[in-house]
Amino acid sequence: MKVQIEALTRVEGEGSLEVFLRDGKPESLRLSIYEPPRFIEGILKGKPYQVIPDITARICGICPVAYQMSGVQAIEDAFCVKIPEDIEEIRRLMYFGEWVQSHALHVFFLHLPDFFNVPSIIELSKIDKGLVLAGMEIKRAGSLIIQTLGGRTSHPVSVVPGGFSALPESLSELKETLEKALEKALWTVEKLKALNFPDFELKEVLFVSLIEEDYPILKGDIYLEGVRVSPKEFKSVFVEFEVPYSTAKHAMTKDGRVYLVGPIARFNNAFEKLSPLAIETAHKLSLEPMVKNPHKGILVRIVEIVHALERSIRIVKDYKKPQKSKVEVVPKSSTGYGVSEAPRGILWHSYSFDSEGRILSADIVPPTSQNQRAIELSLWELIKDRENLKEDWLRDHAEPVIRSFDPCISCATHFLKVSLKDAKKFTLA
Amino acid sequence: MRVGVFKFSSCDGCQLAFFELEEELLRLSEKVQIQYFLEASSKNTWDYFDLVFVEGSVSTPEEEERIKKIRESSRFLVAIGACAVSGGIQSARNFEDFSEIYFSVYSGRYEVNPLSKPLSDFVKVDLEIRGCPINKEALREVLIALLQGKSPQLPSYPVCLECKRKGNPCVVVAKGLICLGPITVAGCGALCPTFERGCYGCYGPVEKPNLQALLEGYSRLRVSQDLLKELLRISFNGYNKSIREWL
């Protein structure tokens, strides 16, 4: 017998949850992703390296900047291009914009309604309009950063290998919007403090995030339990595998351990590197490492929103338009790796190129596929001792658990390996 | 007015335009009943719709069935974005060997059609909103016009007009870049030329794009027919009915 939620709601993309019962007791479950694959990496083969940021952005409408940043850094790694610090700082700013808008979308539009027992933000606005409007203002501030630097929030157009196609003369008009959004974020913290959380802990899960000088976002080695792994070594530590019930592959460590990426992992691994106001916010919310309750992801996201806004204000204040918006990129036959912290966790890209820079193979591992095992493990903890499971109960209890991980199902279906046998001639004039 | 928002093969980006309406979305919800919108609400009903917005292309047998079912239960159907209008970036595979792409990825368990197609290959589409992704201004225009019983006013002219109005120097003339602006429908605000690069066609072709004239113009810049075709195939709208034969 089977109980199921046919279509998960308030998540990005399409999936379902099935629980299999024997004598009325749960025997197994599967988080099934039926989003059709779009073969993005297959489409990339034979194309010139320049199309990577535009095409991979389309894997996800919510975190396109993450795809662009991991993508261009993989290209630059392959072609040995060094990016000046001032351009990297603008990349961080754009990326912070995406964290703010993506986290605000999840916190206020998708996740928060669960804590008020309402089906949507529209219903939530009838209970606490101020909170909803604050969330919208925060989201708008994040979007404005991306629009200013890249023309539009989803699939911005300025990110190119080597830097940006063009950069604004000044960013001073952003400052006031960001400061107001930061004020609003701090105000919502007082409200979020009052939320009640189900008593629930992730057991035996590794927390995996990047490590860099600052709180991780743009680049760095991968950190797990005191071990540092370079982007190049990613596939020697983690394995992906197909499962019959999902168009998204699963991932585990090579020694068979379940791991979690994303805000909670970053917070647990790099708490002390958060901005001063973000640390203060964490204290206010009684949050400290190790956070193990996935429902508290909403609190960690608001801490990261505060961090991202505070850091962005600093970058905007210090902004001087770089002399050159991009550095020269000369292709060569090589393989490169790029990894960054998408809002939902580490996003790893690898490409091989021929001597003219055409793509021979592409390999992308997005965060949601890496988190599927941890989500399933959490769901199992929730239901394993339940008898007489009903669909209504699953919707009320299991769906919020899935939602708390902020899965991005559209992303998860698009990672795959492609190898190219005969590259088609293709050059950009 | 009963409204539904549906998703097919896509990145979710066009549905986000509803969220970007922000306060207007809240006001709108007082005037219309949003009955089906999986990403926005955990309460969804599917019976009859006055108006539906559909994101994504049709790329599986299940999606073929579902789009027909949606059409049967809707009075007015709007295709939103390059996937729904033209087949999306995933339709670039329509011009290549599908089995090679497929088997390099999965081992054969999933039912996926070789071709990714626009909605209009299967059902009657009443209106298109262009873009990859669509922008909230166009969505707002359509929603307000339809609520008032008027026809929405969306641009049908090419990006070049918008670009001139903005006062951008032409990137073809000034920088020698390839730009698909002359045959791409406006609405984005000439974003790419504003950021000093050529338009890559994400709003899709104008009604009757003169590809031959574009090719002749570009042949002076030593752009071959093959290159122009490749660029159009990855323009997110390559499988649009008005250009697919040419490619």
Side-chain angles (χ1 to χ4, degrees):
Chain A
M1 211 193 116
K2 182 169 88 167
V3 190
Q4 66 174 348
I5 303 177
E6 264 182 55
L8 298 171
T9 62
R10 299 211 320 273
V11 294
E12 294 101 359
E14 305 206 315
S16 67
L17 173 65
E18 296 167 299
V19 179
F20 296 90
L21 308 175
R22 184 187 290 268
D23 304 326
K25 283 190 175 166
E27 190 185 42
S28 64
L29 68 82
R30 54 200 203 184
L31 178 67
S32 169
I33 286 178
Y34 54 81
E35 180 99 12
R38 293 191 293 135
F39 307 100
I40 299 289
E41 293 82 343
I43 288 160
L44 286 172
K45 70 176 181 174
K47 309 293 187 297
Y49 70 91
Q50 291 95 328
V51 305
I52 287 172
D54 295 329
I55 291 186
T56 62
R58 266 67 181 191
I59 291 173
C60 180
I62 296 123
C63 55
V65 174
Y67 281 87
Q68 296 185 332
M69 293 305 171
S70 287
V72 291
Q73 291 185 108
I75 298 167
E76 289 149 7
D77 180 48
F79 302 154
C80 304
V81 178
K82 176 101 178 66
I83 301 299
E85 269 179 35
D86 52 358
I87 292 179
E88 279 202 335
E89 200 66 349
I90 304 164
R91 284 184 170 174
R92 282 175 201 279
L93 176 63
M94 193 168 186
Y95 217 144
F96 281 133
E98 180 157 285
W99 274 24
V100 171
Q101 78 86 21
S102 172
H103 278 1
L105 175 77
H106 189 258
V107 167
F108 296 96
F109 285 72
L110 308 183
H111 200 185
L112 203 52
D114 280 334
F115 294 89
F116 291 82
N117 286 317
V118 289
S120 69
I121 190 168
I122 293 168
E123 297 303 314
L124 179 60
S125 73
K126 293 171 188 165
I127 299 171
D128 192 340
K129 193 159 184 187
L131 185 57
V132 166
L133 291 181
M136 288 176 169
E137 187 176 337
I138 296 163
K139 182 173 173 297
R140 189 161 58 239
S143 298
L144 187 69
I145 295 177
I146 310 172
Q147 281 163 29
T148 306
L149 293 172
R152 59 185 171 196
T153 313
S154 200
H155 312 327
V157 303
S158 64
V159 178
V160 295
F164 291 86
S165 62
L167 282 169
E169 292 301 324
S170 154
L171 293 175
S172 55
E173 79 279 17
L174 277 175
K175 191 172 148 269
E176 200 186 328
T177 308
L178 297 181
E179 283 171 348
K180 278 191 178 159
L182 179 57
E183 257 174 55
K184 274 281 147 71
L186 295 172
W187 176 81
T188 63
V189 168
E190 296 303 318
K191 296 244 176 184
L192 297 179
K193 235 162 78 176
L195 298 182
N196 286 316
F197 293 91
D199 199 14
F200 186 75
E201 280 205 342
L202 282 168
K203 293 185 183 110
E204 294 163 35
V205 168
L206 270 177
F207 297 104
V208 177
S209 61
L210 294 185
I211 183 161
E212 54 177 327
E213 239 174 78
D214 207 345
Y215 191 76
I217 183 163
L218 185 65
K219 57 181 190 177
D221 284 344
I222 299 139
Y223 177 86
L224 63 156
E225 246 184 15
V227 182
R228 280 178 86 132
V229 180
S230 75
K232 192 179 173 178
E233 295 166 318
F234 182 84
K235 283 291 174 86
S236 63
V237 179
F238 303 100
V239 283
E240 306 166 85
F241 47 94
E242 251 178 277
V243 292
Y245 53 85
S246 191
T247 49
K249 291 176 190 174
H250 282 206
M252 285 172 102
T253 65
K254 270 227 163 118
D255 53 3
R257 296 178 69 179
V258 178
Y259 69 100
L260 182 79
V261 298
I264 289 180
R266 289 191 290 258
F267 181 90
N268 286 342
N269 290 341
F271 170 77
E272 72 285 353
K273 291 177 179 171
L274 282 163
S275 73
L277 272 176
I279 288 186
E280 206 178 295
T281 301
H283 288 317
K284 268 190 198 159
L285 293 165
S286 311
L287 274 186
E288 55 183 45
M290 306 293 281
V291 173
K292 290 191 169 180
N293 184 344
H295 296 278
K296 291 194 177 175
I298 191 169
L299 301 181
V300 177
R301 283 187 189 91
I302 198 79
V303 169
E304 286 198 336
I305 285 174
V306 169
H307 168 81
L309 286 169
E310 195 178 7
R311 281 285 281 113
S312 297
I313 291 167
R314 208 170 81 203
I315 298 173
V316 165
K317 278 184 182 162
D318 294 345
Y319 179 78
K320 279 191 202 78
K321 188 183 174 186
Q323 288 208 312
K324 282 184 179 173
S325 66
K326 57 177 184 286
V327 295
E328 198 186 3
V329 175
V330 182
K332 61 176 185 176
S333 170
S334 181
T335 298
Y337 306 87
V339 61
S340 67
E341 286 279 0
R344 288 156 195 80
I346 53 176
L347 167 62
W348 182 85
H349 287 218
S350 164
Y351 301 94
S352 290
F353 303 99
D354 71 9
S355 58
E356 291 169 54
R358 286 191 303 266
I359 301 160
L360 298 172
S361 69
D363 194 357
I364 297 178
V365 183
T368 292
S369 55
Q370 301 177 70
N371 280 346
Q372 281 184 102
R373 279 280 144 146
I375 300 174
E376 286 190 343
L377 201 68
S378 307
L379 289 167
W380 182 246
E381 283 296 318
L382 177 79
I383 62 154
K384 64 178 185 192
D385 299 322
R386 285 254 144 204
E387 290 187 24
N388 295 318
L389 266 183
K390 296 275 186 300
E391 193 194 320
D392 284 352
W393 189 90
L394 272 186
R395 258 214 195 277
D396 291 347
H397 295 85
E399 214 179 27
V401 171
I402 299 169
R403 221 176 266 131
S404 71
F405 286 90
D406 189 13
C408 184
I409 292 169
S410 309
C411 285
T413 39
H414 306 293
F415 60 103
L416 39 102
K417 275 186 212 75
V418 169
S419 60
L420 181 65
K421 289 178 194 90
D422 49 335
K424 253 195 278 174
K425 253 308 199 216
F426 190 104
T427 45
L428 271 188
Chain B
M1 189 147 86
R2 285 178 288 191
V3 177
V5 181
F6 293 87
K7 176 184 164 4
F8 285 69
S9 299
S10 64
C11 79
D12 259 29
C14 291
Q15 292 176 84
L16 291 183
F18 286 89
F19 296 145
E20 282 186 16
L21 290 175
E22 299 178 354
E23 278 187 79
E24 290 171 277
L25 178 71
L26 302 181
R27 281 203 296 278
L28 189 74
S29 66
E30 292 163 12
K31 296 206 170 59
V32 303
Q33 294 96 49
I34 302 174
Q35 291 202 327
Y36 193 97
F37 189 174
L38 288 181
E39 188 168 342
S41 176
S42 52
K43 208 172 132 201
N44 297 284
T45 53
W46 180 342
D47 42 44
Y48 178 79
F49 302 100
D50 297 294
L51 172 62
V52 291
F53 294 91
V54 183
E55 172 192 288
S57 68
V58 176
S59 72
T60 65
E62 184 274 328
E63 288 184 330
E64 287 183 29
E65 291 310 306
R66 189 151 51 100
I67 190 60
K68 288 174 191 160
K69 202 176 143 204
I70 290 169
R71 179 69 270 190
E72 280 164 19
S73 40
S74 321
R75 193 162 61 85
F76 198 87
L77 187 150
V78 184
I80 56 170
C83 297
V85 169
S86 308
I89 185 60
Q90 58 274 21
S91 71
R93 75 170 184 257
N94 298 5
F95 304 96
E96 297 182 28
D97 179 355
F98 178 65
S99 64
E100 194 193 314
I101 292 181
Y102 186 93
F103 290 111
S104 63
V105 178
Y106 295 114
S107 46
R109 278 188 283 259
Y110 312 109
E111 272 196 278
V112 183
N113 295 343
L115 303 183
S116 165
K117 293 181 175 179
L119 307 183
S120 61
D121 276 30
F122 300 91
V123 296
K124 177 172 172 275
V125 169
D126 298 302
L127 184 72
E128 292 175 345
I129 305 182
R130 297 297 193 90
C132 183
I134 62 164
N135 63 69
K136 67 172 178 190
E137 287 75 22
L139 178 62
R140 183 197 293 125
E141 164 65 20
V142 168
L143 279 166
I144 292 173
L146 293 178
L147 267 173
Q148 296 175 341
K150 296 179 189 165
S151 340
Q153 298 299 309
L154 296 172
S156 54
Y157 47 83
V159 170
C160 289
L161 243 74
E162 222 166 21
C163 201
K164 295 288 164 296
R165 269 206 307 259
K166 265 190 137 172
N168 290 333
C170 177
V171 294
V172 182
V173 178
K175 290 177 176 276
L177 298 173
I178 303 180
C179 179
L180 297 179
I183 57 142
T184 300
V185 86
C188 64
L191 278 184
C192 288
T194 306
F195 279 88
E196 296 176 35
R197 52 180 295 201
C199 161
Y200 57 83
C202 75
Y203 272 57
V206 289
E207 199 183 340
K208 283 180 184 154
N210 192 342
L211 295 168
Q212 209 49 45
L214 186 72
L215 182 62
E216 279 163 28
Y218 276 138
S219 64
R220 273 174 250 143
L221 291 174
R222 284 191 299 246
V223 175
S224 69
Q225 182 163 352
D226 282 352
L227 175 58
L228 187 60
K229 282 186 179 181
E230 285 288 4
L231 289 175
L232 286 167
R233 285 172 187 179
I234 55 166
S235 70
F236 306 88
N237 289 277
Y239 204 64
N240 189 288
K241 278 180 179 164
S242 67
I243 57 172
R244 68 169 75 142
E245 299 303 326
W246 197 79
L247 301 183

